[in-house]
Amino acid sequence: MSLKTQLLSAQCSTDLTQAAELLKAGEQVAVPTETVYGLAADASNPDAVAGIFTAKGRPANHPLIVHLGDVASITEWATQIPDEAYKLANAFWPGPMTLLLPRAEHVSPVVTGGLDTIGLRVPAQPVLLDLLASHQLAVAAPSANPYKKLSPTTAEQVMHGLGGKIAAVIDGGPCQHGLESTIVDLTKRPFRVLRAGPITASELSTVLGETVDAPEQHDTVVPGNVGSHYQPNTRLQMVAADLSDLPAPHPEKRAALLHFGEAPTRDDLVCIAMPDDAARYGQALYHQLAQADQLGVDEIWLAQPPHGEAWLAVHDRLRRAVS
Ligand code: TXA
Ligand code: MG
C-alpha cells in the first residue's frame, strides 16, 4: 500500500498542529531530532507503534526509544528509577542521551520488543520538544531509515527511504549531531554505555562521580545492535588516512572518496572532503555517505578517521557500515 507522504514544515504552526493530529490519530510521522530523523508514533498506542515496524521492515523484537517532553515524565514509563538517572537527566537532557531503565508495568511489549527495560530520552530539537510538551505526547521513534540502511539526517533522505510508507515528514533542516544518541544502561552496575554517541562515557562519569563503562565494541546482546547496519547500497571500504593504500585506477570503474586534507587528482574519483573535527565529522558522515551512494559510483572509499574517545561513535557506526 502506498500513502501520499506529506512534507510538513517545522516553521509552520498549522503544519505542526497537523503533525500532532496525525500522531494522536495513530499515524507514523518522521520528526527531526538533534541526532538523526526519527520515525515517530504515539508510544501509548500499540497499533500506532506496530506501524513503525511495518514501515521500516524492522524485526518486531528490536526495542524502540520513547521520546518525552520533560524529565518528570520518566516516572510514567519507567520504574525503580535510581538517583543517577536524575543526575544524568539534569545534566544532559534535553539532549542526545538515552537512559535504559526498568519499564513501567503498563508499557506495551510492542514498544520494548518484549524486554523488561525501556530506553527513554528528552530530545533537544526545539520544534519536536515543543510538540511533545505542548500536546503531552510521548513518541516511540527509531531512526527513520528502512531497516539496516543509513540513518537520515535530512527530511529529503527520509522521503527517499520511507516516502509512500508513512503519513508525513516534518522538515526541520539538517540534524545537529548527525549520529544517534548515546545509550546508557542504568539497570545494572557498573553502569555502561551500550551505544557510543555524542555524549562520551567520560562526560557521564564526571557527572556521576563514578566510572561508566564504555566497551570498545557495540554490545551485540541488544537486539537491534546487529553487525551489519547503517549500510549504504554501494560497497564501502576503508582506506588508510594518508591514502597510501588507495586502489589503482580501474579503466571502467569510478569511486567516491571521503578523505581528509588535499584531494588526490584522479579522474576516476569523486572526492568529498571530510571535517577533521570529530563532532563535525559525525554530523557529516551519514549525509556524505548518502550523497556518495546516490552518485552511482562502483565503490565508496573512506579514509580511516583518527582514534580516541571523541571518535568512538564514528568508529562504531563505520565498523558496521563497511561491506
Ligand atoms: O538518537 C537516537 O537515539 C535516535 C533518535 C531518533 O532519537 N533513535 C535511534 O533509535 O537511534 P534506533 O531504534 O534506530 O536505535 C535504538 C537502539 C537500538 O539498537 C535498540 O536495540 C536499542 O536502542 N534499545 C532501545 N530500547 C532498548 C532496550 N529496552 N534495551 C536494550 N536496547 C534498547
Ligand atoms: Mg537505527
Side-chain angles (χ1 to χ4, degrees):
M1 190 190 64
S2 185
L3 290 171
K4 164 112 182 68
T5 302
Q6 294 184 67
L7 187 61
L8 303 173
S9 168
Q11 253 108 68
C12 172
S13 63
T14 52
D15 278 13
L16 295 173
T17 306
Q18 195 184 350
E21 295 305 325
L22 287 168
L23 287 167
K24 287 188 220 163
E27 298 288 340
Q28 294 78 41
V29 177
V31 295
T33 87
E34 77 280 34
T35 58
V36 299
Y37 274 73
L39 180 56
D42 180 352
S44 65
N45 176 345
D47 290 338
V49 175
I52 293 175
F53 290 86
T54 309
K56 279 184 60 103
R58 175 171 166 127
N61 69 338
H62 289 191
L64 303 177
I65 296 169
V66 174
H67 298 66
L68 307 171
D70 56 43
V71 176
S73 303
I74 65 176
T75 56
E76 289 167 34
W77 296 89
T79 178
Q80 299 163 48
I81 302 166
D83 290 345
E84 287 89 346
Y86 289 99
K87 281 193 195 155
L88 292 176
N90 291 331
F92 299 113
W93 280 351
M97 174 187 71
T98 296
L99 297 181
L100 214 65
L101 294 163
R103 67 163 171 83
E105 194 122 17
H106 70 86
V107 178
S108 165
V110 179
V111 173
T112 63
L115 298 175
D116 290 334
T117 55
I118 186 165
L120 298 172
R121 84 179 188 98
V122 176
Q125 208 286 346
V127 171
L128 173 61
L129 188 58
D130 186 59
L131 186 78
L132 299 178
S134 60
H135 295 272
Q136 273 152 12
L137 264 170
V139 295
S143 50
N145 49 294
Y147 182 53
K148 290 202 171 181
K149 296 300 178 189
L150 290 169
S151 302
T153 57
T154 63
E156 192 192 352
Q157 277 169 244
V158 177
M159 276 292 190
H160 186 75
L162 295 178
K165 297 190 167 149
I166 59 176
V169 181
I170 302 176
D171 187 353
C175 299
Q176 181 196 343
H177 293 292
L179 292 179
E180 299 85 349
S181 62
T182 304
I183 303 181
V184 197
D185 185 357
L186 297 183
T187 64
K188 297 192 259 314
R189 285 186 178 268
F191 299 142
R192 62 188 182 135
V193 170
L194 293 187
R195 178 176 72 185
I199 295 172
T200 63
S202 302
E203 291 173 295
L204 300 167
S205 304
T206 301
V207 167
L208 294 184
E210 67 180 269
T211 303
V212 175
D213 285 352
E216 264 291 316
Q217 297 279 332
H218 205 83
D219 186 337
T220 47
V221 300
V222 177
N225 275 352
V226 288
S228 65
H229 206 149
Y230 312 114
Q231 296 204 334
N233 295 313
T234 315
R235 193 179 143 78
L236 173 68
Q237 282 199 82
M238 206 87 104
V239 296
D242 63 2
L243 307 181
S244 54
D245 60 356
L246 208 57
H250 184 285
E252 279 125 51
K253 287 190 179 166
R254 287 195 323 138
L257 173 67
L258 277 60
H259 65 94
F260 297 102
E262 285 280 299
T265 40
R266 267 175 55 169
D267 295 342
D268 62 322
L269 297 180
V270 181
C271 295
I272 300 173
M274 295 297 286
D276 54 14
D277 156 272
R280 288 194 300 123
Y281 189 100
Q283 194 208 16
L285 181 62
Y286 290 146
H287 180 69
Q288 295 298 10
L289 285 175
Q291 296 292 107
D293 220 8
Q294 282 164 32
L295 291 171
V297 291
D298 298 285
E299 294 204 353
I300 303 172
W301 297 332
L302 182 142
Q304 176 90 30
H307 285 275
E309 192 179 31
W311 292 87
L312 270 183
V314 164
H315 283 286
D316 169 70
R317 305 310 187 275
L318 285 177
R319 243 192 317 273
R320 287 172 301 151
V322 294
S323 308

